[in-house]
Amino acid sequence: MFDLKISDQPLNPQDCLDFVNHESTGASTVFIGRVRNQSKGKKVLRLEFEAYEKMALKEMEKIAEKAKEKWPIAKLAFHHRTGITLLGDIAVIIALSTPHRKEGFRACEYCIDALKETVPIWKKEIFENGEEWVSATP
Amino acid sequence: MFDLKISDQPLNPQDCLDFVNHESTGASTVFIGRVRNQSKGKKVLRLEFEAYEKMALKEMEKIAEKAKEKWPIAKLAFHHRTGITLLGDIAVIIALSTPHRKEGFRACEYCIDALKETVPIWKKEIFENGEEWVSATP
Amino acid sequence: MFRKSDNNDNMKINILAFGVAKDILGSANFEMEVKPKLTIDELKAQFLAKNPDFSKLNSILLAINSEYSIPGQVLKENDEVALIPPVSGG
Amino acid sequence: MFRKSDNNDNMKINILAFGVAKDILGSANFEMEVKPKLTIDELKAQFLAKNPDFSKLNSILLAINSEYSIPGQVLKENDEVALIPPVSGG
């Protein structure tokens, strides 16, 4: 039903698509978050992701369960990267299959929004002269 | 900017993801429509897609242009299959990259909704005993 | 054949039919001779009159040279007119 | 060491610190001896009192055994308590 993963290795969208492909569902919706080259106007050299892995997987499962309560999700893949990532690397993939498209968009957006609220994963931006834990301070 | 394609060969999501990956955009949103195994309770053996290809590509480009007017889309891939497709085959892929996720979901949903309104592509469902052009008659 | 001069004024257009429209007409692609300055609305009316099955469809739109036509649009020699039944891509 | 009997009542908990909380504490993982039946609110107050930098953060939540704690929750021997600064995944 759910494929939840936290990994310090590159994430693979095709793995997620293969997992969610399901014969009774016509719509697959996918969100992929990548490392951007700037943040608040400053050039980002790399990002470092740290996770409280055990708890992060639990929280990801809670999000998936809640999404499944709200929408008719057949399968859901939720992968998050940890470690050092460079420009263009994939930080997160959320893929899910639903009978119809509208519920797929809603469910996928719900999951990524919820991830950013509750899943214990932290992102440090490394700039040319300094570094910063994202969202830590006002 | 846009990668528009109509093909009688299997569509490849990774091609679309590769196309839309762009250094200044963190969010890729993807919709994939697949052939389902039933329609209105009847078992579907296969689907046949027919396109007025020249016009379909023009209409797809109009949709992409309109989406780009409404949301800050960096790149957009819009692929549609024609010919005979079987259960699980990909009928359509829409992938696009945006700076942030909310606009990505809106834009992707807009494109697939608009496709279903205006792009001259037709789908025939082949059942065990009969066939039907989808949406043709009340 | 008797009204040769009239016929000479006529113009040739190309018809494309897709999906269920192709099934109704029995052909996907054919030429048609029509009177000069025929509007798209008149052409549509001709099709509907000759093929009552078109009125069973949810809709039938006509495109000229791969653009949706607008009401009153006048046809020109060699125009490509497509019969567009309800689309169902995706 | 003089109040041995008191110390014996104390319990050991494990602290995990992540992100900026790890930077503030200078350590990611350590044991702590606390009084019995300490609540999570009391523990948090201790951390805030000893490390004023925590109050500069947008928030600091505590999890017990990899679940977000609830106010008033009482700690048990060997609990794993994680300091959760504002998350920023995705």
Side-chain angles (χ1 to χ4, degrees), chain C residues 54-67:
Chain C
F54 277 130
S55 56
K56 295 179 188 161
L57 302 183
N58 284 324
S59 69
I60 182 84
L61 300 177
L62 276 69
I64 303 174
N65 301 325
S66 66
E67 295 281 351

PDB file of all heavy atoms in Angstrom, chain C residues 54-67:
ATOM      1  N   PHE C  54     -25.264  12.492 -36.755  1.00  0.00           N
ATOM      2  CA  PHE C  54     -24.492  13.562 -36.099  1.00  0.00           C
ATOM      3  C   PHE C  54     -25.290  14.223 -34.982  1.00  0.00           C
ATOM      4  O   PHE C  54     -24.719  14.688 -33.992  1.00  0.00           O
ATOM      5  CB  PHE C  54     -24.066  14.632 -37.117  1.00  0.00           C
ATOM      6  CG  PHE C  54     -22.809  14.268 -37.865  1.00  0.00           C
ATOM      7  CD1 PHE C  54     -22.767  14.351 -39.250  1.00  0.00           C
ATOM      8  CD2 PHE C  54     -21.678  13.852 -37.190  1.00  0.00           C
ATOM      9  CE1 PHE C  54     -21.612  14.020 -39.943  1.00  0.00           C
ATOM     10  CE2 PHE C  54     -20.518  13.521 -37.883  1.00  0.00           C
ATOM     11  CZ  PHE C  54     -20.485  13.598 -39.266  1.00  0.00           C
ATOM     12  N   SER C  55     -26.619  14.261 -35.141  1.00  0.00           N
ATOM     13  CA  SER C  55     -27.415  14.933 -34.113  1.00  0.00           C
ATOM     14  C   SER C  55     -27.544  14.088 -32.847  1.00  0.00           C
ATOM     15  O   SER C  55     -28.017  14.579 -31.820  1.00  0.00           O
ATOM     16  CB  SER C  55     -28.793  15.299 -34.660  1.00  0.00           C
ATOM     17  OG  SER C  55     -29.411  14.137 -35.145  1.00  0.00           O
ATOM     18  N   LYS C  56     -27.102  12.828 -32.920  1.00  0.00           N
ATOM     19  CA  LYS C  56     -27.105  12.006 -31.698  1.00  0.00           C
ATOM     20  C   LYS C  56     -25.879  12.281 -30.826  1.00  0.00           C
ATOM     21  O   LYS C  56     -25.824  11.856 -29.681  1.00  0.00           O
ATOM     22  CB  LYS C  56     -27.105  10.512 -32.073  1.00  0.00           C
ATOM     23  CG  LYS C  56     -28.367  10.070 -32.804  1.00  0.00           C
ATOM     24  CD  LYS C  56     -28.275   8.586 -33.147  1.00  0.00           C
ATOM     25  CE  LYS C  56     -29.428   8.157 -34.040  1.00  0.00           C
ATOM     26  NZ  LYS C  56     -29.136   6.888 -34.748  1.00  0.00           N
ATOM     27  N   LEU C  57     -24.894  12.958 -31.392  1.00  0.00           N
ATOM     28  CA  LEU C  57     -23.659  13.196 -30.637  1.00  0.00           C
ATOM     29  C   LEU C  57     -23.835  14.315 -29.619  1.00  0.00           C
ATOM     30  O   LEU C  57     -24.715  15.169 -29.770  1.00  0.00           O
ATOM     31  CB  LEU C  57     -22.520  13.571 -31.602  1.00  0.00           C
ATOM     32  CG  LEU C  57     -22.211  12.548 -32.695  1.00  0.00           C
ATOM     33  CD1 LEU C  57     -21.022  13.014 -33.522  1.00  0.00           C
ATOM     34  CD2 LEU C  57     -21.953  11.174 -32.101  1.00  0.00           C
ATOM     35  N   ASN C  58     -22.988  14.293 -28.602  1.00  0.00           N
ATOM     36  CA  ASN C  58     -23.018  15.367 -27.606  1.00  0.00           C
ATOM     37  C   ASN C  58     -22.661  16.708 -28.235  1.00  0.00           C
ATOM     38  O   ASN C  58     -23.144  17.756 -27.792  1.00  0.00           O
ATOM     39  CB  ASN C  58     -22.054  15.058 -26.469  1.00  0.00           C
ATOM     40  CG  ASN C  58     -22.611  14.005 -25.532  1.00  0.00           C
ATOM     41  OD1 ASN C  58     -23.812  13.964 -25.283  1.00  0.00           O
ATOM     42  ND2 ASN C  58     -21.752  13.133 -25.031  1.00  0.00           N
ATOM     43  N   SER C  59     -21.818  16.667 -29.248  1.00  0.00           N
ATOM     44  CA  SER C  59     -21.465  17.894 -29.961  1.00  0.00           C
ATOM     45  C   SER C  59     -20.720  17.503 -31.220  1.00  0.00           C
ATOM     46  O   SER C  59     -20.215  16.376 -31.336  1.00  0.00           O
ATOM     47  CB  SER C  59     -20.568  18.803 -29.098  1.00  0.00           C
ATOM     48  OG  SER C  59     -19.287  18.218 -28.941  1.00  0.00           O
ATOM     49  N   ILE C  60     -20.682  18.418 -32.161  1.00  0.00           N
ATOM     50  CA  ILE C  60     -19.807  18.244 -33.326  1.00  0.00           C
ATOM     51  C   ILE C  60     -19.294  19.625 -33.712  1.00  0.00           C
ATOM     52  O   ILE C  60     -20.057  20.540 -34.015  1.00  0.00           O
ATOM     53  CB  ILE C  60     -20.522  17.508 -34.496  1.00  0.00           C
ATOM     54  CG1 ILE C  60     -19.590  17.289 -35.673  1.00  0.00           C
ATOM     55  CG2 ILE C  60     -21.800  18.229 -34.937  1.00  0.00           C
ATOM     56  CD1 ILE C  60     -18.742  16.054 -35.524  1.00  0.00           C
ATOM     57  N   LEU C  61     -17.985  19.786 -33.590  1.00  0.00           N
ATOM     58  CA  LEU C  61     -17.367  21.070 -33.921  1.00  0.00           C
ATOM     59  C   LEU C  61     -16.611  20.925 -35.235  1.00  0.00           C
ATOM     60  O   LEU C  61     -16.220  19.819 -35.618  1.00  0.00           O
ATOM     61  CB  LEU C  61     -16.398  21.496 -32.817  1.00  0.00           C
ATOM     62  CG  LEU C  61     -17.004  21.684 -31.427  1.00  0.00           C
ATOM     63  CD1 LEU C  61     -15.915  22.035 -30.418  1.00  0.00           C
ATOM     64  CD2 LEU C  61     -18.073  22.773 -31.449  1.00  0.00           C
ATOM     65  N   LEU C  62     -16.417  22.039 -35.931  1.00  0.00           N
ATOM     66  CA  LEU C  62     -15.632  22.000 -37.167  1.00  0.00           C
ATOM     67  C   LEU C  62     -14.382  22.865 -36.999  1.00  0.00           C
ATOM     68  O   LEU C  62     -14.440  23.948 -36.402  1.00  0.00           O
ATOM     69  CB  LEU C  62     -16.462  22.481 -38.364  1.00  0.00           C
ATOM     70  CG  LEU C  62     -17.357  21.393 -38.999  1.00  0.00           C
ATOM     71  CD1 LEU C  62     -18.472  20.996 -38.075  1.00  0.00           C
ATOM     72  CD2 LEU C  62     -17.876  21.848 -40.350  1.00  0.00           C
ATOM     73  N   ALA C  63     -13.292  22.331 -37.476  1.00  0.00           N
ATOM     74  CA  ALA C  63     -12.035  23.087 -37.468  1.00  0.00           C
ATOM     75  C   ALA C  63     -11.656  23.402 -38.906  1.00  0.00           C
ATOM     76  O   ALA C  63     -11.936  22.621 -39.821  1.00  0.00           O
ATOM     77  CB  ALA C  63     -10.929  22.277 -36.812  1.00  0.00           C
ATOM     78  N   ILE C  64     -11.070  24.558 -39.131  1.00  0.00           N
ATOM     79  CA  ILE C  64     -10.570  24.940 -40.456  1.00  0.00           C
ATOM     80  C   ILE C  64      -9.053  25.086 -40.361  1.00  0.00           C
ATOM     81  O   ILE C  64      -8.555  25.869 -39.549  1.00  0.00           O
ATOM     82  CB  ILE C  64     -11.200  26.264 -40.929  1.00  0.00           C
ATOM     83  CG1 ILE C  64     -12.733  26.144 -40.940  1.00  0.00           C
ATOM     84  CG2 ILE C  64     -10.693  26.644 -42.318  1.00  0.00           C
ATOM     85  CD1 ILE C  64     -13.455  27.443 -41.265  1.00  0.00           C
ATOM     86  N   ASN C  65      -8.360  24.313 -41.176  1.00  0.00           N
ATOM     87  CA  ASN C  65      -6.893  24.363 -41.193  1.00  0.00           C
ATOM     88  C   ASN C  65      -6.311  24.222 -39.782  1.00  0.00           C
ATOM     89  O   ASN C  65      -5.464  24.994 -39.355  1.00  0.00           O
ATOM     90  CB  ASN C  65      -6.411  25.642 -41.878  1.00  0.00           C
ATOM     91  CG  ASN C  65      -6.935  25.720 -43.301  1.00  0.00           C
ATOM     92  OD1 ASN C  65      -7.075  24.701 -43.985  1.00  0.00           O
ATOM     93  ND2 ASN C  65      -7.279  26.924 -43.746  1.00  0.00           N
ATOM     94  N   SER C  66      -6.826  23.243 -39.077  1.00  0.00           N
ATOM     95  CA  SER C  66      -6.383  22.844 -37.740  1.00  0.00           C
ATOM     96  C   SER C  66      -6.525  23.936 -36.670  1.00  0.00           C
ATOM     97  O   SER C  66      -5.754  23.975 -35.719  1.00  0.00           O
ATOM     98  CB  SER C  66      -4.973  22.257 -37.761  1.00  0.00           C
ATOM     99  OG  SER C  66      -4.011  23.203 -38.113  1.00  0.00           O
ATOM    100  N   GLU C  67      -7.541  24.795 -36.853  1.00  0.00           N
ATOM    101  CA  GLU C  67      -7.953  25.707 -35.776  1.00  0.00           C
ATOM    102  C   GLU C  67      -9.471  25.600 -35.640  1.00  0.00           C
ATOM    103  O   GLU C  67     -10.175  25.544 -36.659  1.00  0.00           O
ATOM    104  CB  GLU C  67      -7.620  27.171 -36.123  1.00  0.00           C
ATOM    105  CG  GLU C  67      -6.145  27.489 -36.248  1.00  0.00           C
ATOM    106  CD  GLU C  67      -5.432  27.665 -34.914  1.00  0.00           C
ATOM    107  OE1 GLU C  67      -6.121  27.706 -33.866  1.00  0.00           O
ATOM    108  OE2 GLU C  67      -4.193  27.753 -34.927  1.00  0.00           O
TER     109      GLU C  67
END
